[in-house]
Amino acid sequence: NCMDEGKYETALEFYNQAIKLKPDVLSYYHGKAIALKYLSEFEKSKELLEYVHKNDPNSIRTTIALGMTYLAEGKFTQGMELYLNRSNETKFTEIFKEKIWSKETDLKDKNILLYSDCGLGDSIMFSRYIPYLAKIAANIEFKTDKEIALIMKNSFKQVNVTCKTDNSMPYDVVMPIMNIAYALNMDFSSIPYSEGYLKNDEELINKYKNLDIFKTDNKKIGIFYQGNKRILKNRSLPYRYIEKLFDINNCNFYSFQISNYEEESNKVISLKSLINDYSDTAALLKCIDVLITIDTSIAHMAGALGVKTFLILPNVPEWRWFSDAITTPWYKSFKIFKQDKPFDYECVMNKIKDEICAL
């Protein structure tokens, strides 16, 4: 449809026509609000979401969308109170029918089950709060995806890290990992960050650094440009724009793509055969000088490891990047390259090209 194809103005016209025909259908107002958001009409979008939420407070998608709008504005408490409802959308409340954390829950000296009901990047980003929760809890089990379980286990010795398919310990409270900050009252003015809060396997790093592909005096540039197109509708980067970097002298380019992208040229060294899980990815990230990436889980992994990263953002990014245009409080090793308008890749890549030449 128009939204998936980035035709936001056309989508807006359709929603306006639909509202004229059936002004009582609230879902049309929701759709219009989302179209306005991607056209950078943030206040108008928020007003419509507030209107829908007021008239249909049980609409999960509107509640979540409005919560993300407030979070993008930096309104931590107001945004989180609504955004927490995402647990209903992720089926968390169907998996765990009792002992679910609520705002009134006392976490002190409790056995807590943390659960990843979110994307890998979300789990990586919010895992930074685990040590703070561990200071007040009796025990914590962090049940997460197998792709990141090993590096989480190496990084957070104070908790028991397990895979989602493993049996759980007895627990008093179960909580989605993205709720930790709100549960601990750690708002956006106190985002914790230590340089490299995820810990690498040094033996694995040394193993990869000794590979012939990394024995070069050239700048080592990692790239990741295509993700799940269903989820990353406005984030993936067409390969032809990445290709513009390859004429820079004295650079080796390493692709972290694990899916098959036949268009990659022989100027790119694919790391796909070396990557089994994120422990491999993490070690390989320590072998390069900079990662150029879209907004996806590898970006969060690089940031959590303290790897220099050039992050490419669409003109209307995820709430977590706020209105930041150059740096972010989440990751000190990031430099942001945000599009000025939808799908404006040319300008962004020209800026990145200049940055690489200056390395």
Side-chain angles (χ1 to χ4, degrees):
N1 62 31
C2 296
M3 294 291 284
D4 289 344
E5 295 171 3
K7 298 175 181 177
Y8 306 124
E9 290 181 352
T10 304
L12 182 61
E13 289 176 15
F14 284 140
Y15 282 120
N16 281 332
Q17 290 172 18
I19 288 168
K20 280 184 180 179
L21 291 171
K22 295 184 178 180
D24 296 330
V25 180
L26 291 173
S27 61
Y28 295 158
Y29 294 91
H30 175 96
K32 179 178 178 178
I34 303 305
L36 285 167
K37 168 188 166 183
Y38 285 112
L39 290 168
S40 300
E41 296 278 1
F42 301 118
E43 282 300 316
K44 290 180 181 178
S45 174
K46 182 172 69 172
E47 287 173 10
L48 279 178
L49 290 173
E50 288 173 336
Y51 168 76
V52 177
H53 180 64
K54 181 179 178 181
N55 288 279
D56 184 11
N58 295 319
S59 170
I60 296 299
R61 66 172 186 164
T62 299
T63 300
I64 295 169
L66 183 56
M68 289 192 290
T69 298
Y70 292 144
L71 290 173
E73 294 178 331
K75 297 173 181 175
F76 176 81
T77 302
Q78 191 176 4
M80 275 294 177
E81 284 176 352
L82 298 180
Y83 189 58
L84 296 181
N85 287 278
R86 58 179 294 282
S87 297
N88 295 318
E89 192 177 60
T90 62
K91 308 301 181 185
F92 174 85
T93 50
E94 291 181 18
I95 300 170
F96 301 98
K97 300 190 185 328
E98 57 181 12
K99 299 182 180 179
I100 295 175
W101 171 87
S102 69
K103 190 178 179 182
E104 295 74 30
T105 306
D106 181 8
L107 298 174
K108 185 171 174 56
D109 298 328
K110 294 292 193 301
N111 294 319
I112 300 172
L113 178 63
L114 275 182
Y115 188 81
S116 289
D117 70 331
C118 50
L120 295 176
D122 300 314
S123 294
I124 293 165
M125 173 179 264
F126 282 86
S127 69
R128 74 186 66 213
Y129 293 97
I130 289 176
Y132 298 88
L133 185 61
K135 289 178 181 178
I136 62 173
N139 295 288
I140 297 175
E141 177 179 352
F142 178 28
K143 192 171 287 295
T144 191
D145 300 273
K146 63 181 181 179
E147 293 91 340
I148 59 173
L150 183 56
I151 193 166
M152 290 294 174
K153 191 173 291 188
N154 291 337
S155 302
F156 301 110
K157 303 289 188 183
Q158 63 273 66
V159 305
N160 179 30
V161 179
T162 60
C163 293
K164 289 180 179 179
T165 52
D166 297 338
N167 292 328
S168 300
M169 70 173 193
Y171 58 88
D172 303 311
V173 183
V174 60
M175 177 194 299
I177 189 168
M178 291 184 76
N179 293 16
I180 300 184
Y182 184 66
L184 296 175
N185 292 315
M186 297 179 71
D187 65 18
F188 295 143
S189 66
S190 56
I191 294 173
Y193 182 82
S194 57
E195 190 68 29
Y197 62 84
L198 291 190
K199 307 303 177 190
N200 275 102
D201 182 333
E202 293 297 328
E203 198 172 304
L204 196 55
I205 294 173
N206 291 330
K207 170 189 167 183
Y208 287 136
K209 279 187 174 179
N210 286 321
L211 293 176
D212 288 342
I213 56 173
F214 292 117
K215 290 180 179 177
T216 175
D217 292 329
N218 286 348
K219 298 169 189 173
K220 303 179 190 71
I221 315 295
I223 55 172
F224 191 95
Y225 53 91
Q226 291 278 328
N228 184 328
K229 291 181 181 178
R230 183 180 63 82
I231 299 171
L232 310 181
K233 294 170 186 172
N234 68 333
R235 292 190 242 168
S236 289
L237 180 71
Y239 177 76
R240 65 183 181 275
Y241 291 99
I242 281 286
E243 203 170 22
K244 292 177 182 292
L245 302 176
F246 299 157
D247 61 357
I248 304 175
N249 293 328
N250 304 317
C251 288
N252 282 11
F253 292 90
Y254 302 85
S255 173
F256 283 82
Q257 298 286 155
I258 56 175
S259 300
N260 289 316
Y261 288 93
E262 296 174 4
E263 55 196 350
E264 281 188 353
S265 76
N266 56 11
K267 294 182 180 179
V268 179
I269 300 166
S270 173
L271 302 176
K272 180 174 64 173
S273 63
L274 301 173
I275 298 173
N276 296 302
D277 67 11
Y278 257 110
S279 296
D280 296 308
T281 302
L284 289 163
L285 283 168
K286 284 293 189 176
C287 298
I288 62 173
D289 297 311
V290 63
L291 174 70
I292 300 169
T293 180
I294 58 172
D295 177 13
T296 188
S297 56
I298 193 173
H300 293 282
M301 179 59 72
L305 294 166
V307 172
K308 188 179 184 67
T309 301
F310 294 163
L311 177 67
I312 300 169
L313 291 181
N315 67 308
V316 181
E318 283 274 280
W319 68 262
R320 70 201 71 212
W321 307 118
F322 311 123
S323 59
D324 298 334
I326 300 174
T327 60
T328 170
W330 295 103
Y331 303 113
K332 306 301 182 190
S333 59
F334 272 26
K335 184 162 188 177
I336 291 173
F337 296 83
K338 187 190 289 187
Q339 297 170 15
D340 293 326
K341 55 188 178 182
F343 309 107
D344 180 19
Y345 305 111
E346 190 81 41
C347 182
V348 164
M349 295 313 294
N350 286 338
K351 291 177 182 177
I352 288 177
K353 199 169 184 178
D354 291 340
E355 288 283 339
I356 294 175
C357 292
L359 285 175

